[in-house]
């Protein structure tokens, strides 16, 4: 996509200001990004060249996590910070396993919303809400959410590669707790989260670069990511490096980063809200 302003771009979008959502789209080879996004993303690739493989590993985790939740009987999903739709979105994965499954996407990025609306116009089982996930009340009371999801039953809450855009001041554990408290017993939480535990220099560089983007980065340690799951029972194998969460035994392709967890620098887990 060139630097000109395509007709579909919502008025409120400043295409000169790099967006975390559109930079991620660029890492994944998508075309919903502008010159300013690509320039900053390319700078980050010089700092951290593994970013496209990390992004793909994150999408592969989404696939495995939604597959697992579906196998546990979850048939409604709330995908917070869902991003610009790309291959294998939550509703695609869920519907392939259960044609009744319902998905609500939430994102704050207007391009992610605009593209999601177009993609979902003929998909009755999925919809999108333009909101900031830090405002839990607005998300959960938005007319679409209680209409679309039966909140008296378990929901799969998906927060992939988004909580590292929530700062310490915004209290990520408190936000996760708030979503936990408004979802039914038996609901699940899936999280992937970037860390500086392995490659602090790359992480520092990325944090600096993203001060010029729509969202700043806050990497968290393994202990801090574990804290996000307070009040959840972790599904096996617990909180692990992204490539080690229930890898597909049928996938015999060589790992693009030599299965080096330091190069992936991301933790993931899935937890279940138990009975009180
Ligand atoms: C790296 S992308 C991840 C997309 C998708 N979850 C995935 O893992 O493939 C992060 C997304 O989180 C969104 N995001 C960041 N902060 C947010 C917030 N406070 N509320 C809602 N969405 C947010 C960004 O707009 C972006 O689309």
């Amino acid at each position: 996509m060139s630097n000109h302003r395509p007709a579909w771009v919502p008025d409120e979008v400043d295409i000169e200001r790099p967006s975390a959502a559109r930079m991620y789209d660029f890492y994944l080879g998508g075309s919903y990004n502008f010159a300013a996004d690509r320039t900053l993303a390319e700078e980050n690739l010089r700092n951290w060249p593994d970013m496209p493989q990390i992004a793909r590993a994150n999408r592969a985790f989404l696939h495995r996590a939604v597959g697992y939740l579906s196998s546990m009987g979850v048939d409604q999903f709330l995908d917070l910070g869902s991003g610009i739709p790309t291959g294998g979105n939550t509703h695609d994965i869920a519907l392939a396993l259960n044609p009744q499954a319902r998905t609500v996407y939430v994102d704050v990025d207007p391009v992610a919303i605009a593209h999601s609306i177009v993609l979902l116009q003929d998909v009755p089982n999925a919809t999108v809400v333009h909101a900031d996930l830090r405002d839990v009340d607005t998300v959960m009371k938005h007319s679409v959410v209680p209409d679309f999801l039966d909140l008296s039953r378990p929901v799969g809450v998906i927060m992939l590669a988004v909580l590292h855009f929530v700062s310490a001041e915004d209290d990520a554990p408190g936000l996760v707790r708030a979503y936990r408290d408004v979802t039914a017993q038996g609901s699940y939480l899936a999280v992937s989260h970037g860390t500086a535990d392995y490659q602090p220099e790359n992480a520092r560089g990325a944090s600096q670069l993203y001060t010029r983007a729509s969202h700043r980065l806050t990497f968290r340690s393994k202990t801090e990511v574990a804290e996000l799951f307070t009040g959840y029972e972790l599904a096996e194998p617990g909180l692990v490096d992204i490539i080690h969460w229930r890898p597909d035994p049928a996938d015999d392709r060589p790992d693009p980063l030599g299965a080096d967890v330091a190069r992936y620098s991301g933790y993931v887990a899935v937890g279940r809200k138990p009975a009180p």
Side-chain angles (χ1 to χ4, degrees), residues 8 36 94 111 132 180-181 217 219 267 270:
W8 59 265
V111 168
D132 189 322
R180 186 196 70 202
D181 290 349
L217 278 168
F219 291 106
Y267 297 121
V270 172

Side-chain angles (χ1 to χ4, degrees), residues 12-78:
E12 73 259 40
V13 176
D14 177 358
I15 68 169
E16 303 301 334
R17 184 163 182 240
S19 131
R22 301 193 306 259
M23 289 168 69
Y24 181 71
D25 177 65
F26 177 75
Y27 300 140
L28 284 168
S31 53
Y32 288 85
N33 47 74
F34 308 114
D37 307 313
R38 292 191 288 275
T39 301
L40 194 59
E42 278 161 358
E43 219 179 302
N44 195 33
L45 287 177
R46 289 192 286 280
N47 164 65
W48 201 330
D50 294 332
M51 210 46 74
Q53 289 83 1
I54 294 172
R56 280 197 283 277
N58 185 56
R59 297 298 296 181
F61 170 65
L62 174 69
H63 206 281
R64 302 197 300 279
V66 173
Y68 171 76
L69 297 188
S70 300
S71 77
M72 299 309 286
V74 175
D75 62 359
Q76 37 180 12
F77 296 87
L78 179 63

Side-chain angles (χ1 to χ4, degrees), residues 21 24 58-59 81-83 107-109 131-134 160-162 165 215:
Y24 181 71
N58 185 56
R59 297 298 296 181
S82 46
D107 206 285
V108 78
D109 185 282
D132 189 322
L133 70 85
R134 293 172 301 175
L160 264 53
V162 64
F165 293 116
H215 292 82

Side-chain angles (χ1 to χ4, degrees), residues 83-262:
I84 295 170
T86 176
N89 301 295
T90 297
H91 78 281
D92 299 312
I93 306 160
L95 284 171
L97 297 165
N98 176 357
Q100 308 303 321
R102 295 166 81 81
T103 301
V104 175
Y105 292 107
V106 176
D107 206 285
V108 78
D109 185 282
V111 168
I113 297 301
H115 187 38
S116 300
I117 289 171
V118 172
L119 185 90
L120 298 176
Q121 60 194 353
D122 297 322
V123 184
N125 282 27
T127 190
V128 60
V129 170
H130 189 188
D132 189 322
L133 70 85
R134 293 172 301 175
D135 189 345
V136 181
D137 253 16
T138 298
V139 170
M140 296 310 290
K141 293 184 180 152
H142 187 287
S143 55
V144 162
V145 175
D147 264 12
F148 217 78
L149 305 177
D150 176 355
L151 296 174
S152 68
R153 295 198 302 109
V155 175
V157 177
I158 312 284
M159 298 176 97
L160 264 53
V162 64
L163 288 170
H164 48 231
F165 293 116
V166 174
S167 67
E169 298 75 60
D170 283 326
D171 184 18
L175 283 173
V176 173
R177 192 166 54 243
Y179 283 104
R180 186 196 70 202
D181 290 349
V182 294
T183 48
Q185 182 232 318
S187 291
Y188 283 83
L189 170 71
V191 167
S192 64
H193 201 299
T195 188
D197 286 357
Y198 295 109
Q199 302 201 68
E201 278 309 312
N202 293 26
R204 214 181 335 270
S207 298
Q208 266 167 14
L209 281 164
Y210 272 77
T211 59
R212 285 145 57 197
S214 58
H215 292 82
R216 292 176 175 233
L217 278 168
T218 300
F219 291 106
R220 290 188 172 83
S221 66
K222 191 168 190 182
T223 307
E224 289 170 317
V225 179
E227 195 197 337
L228 300 172
F229 282 90
T230 303
Y232 285 95
E233 287 168 349
L234 291 189
E236 286 297 324
L239 174 64
V240 292
D241 294 291
I242 191 159
I243 53 172
H244 288 163
W245 198 88
R246 296 176 179 258
D248 178 357
D251 186 355
D252 56 4
R253 290 170 297 177
D255 185 282
L257 298 183
D260 180 351
V261 295

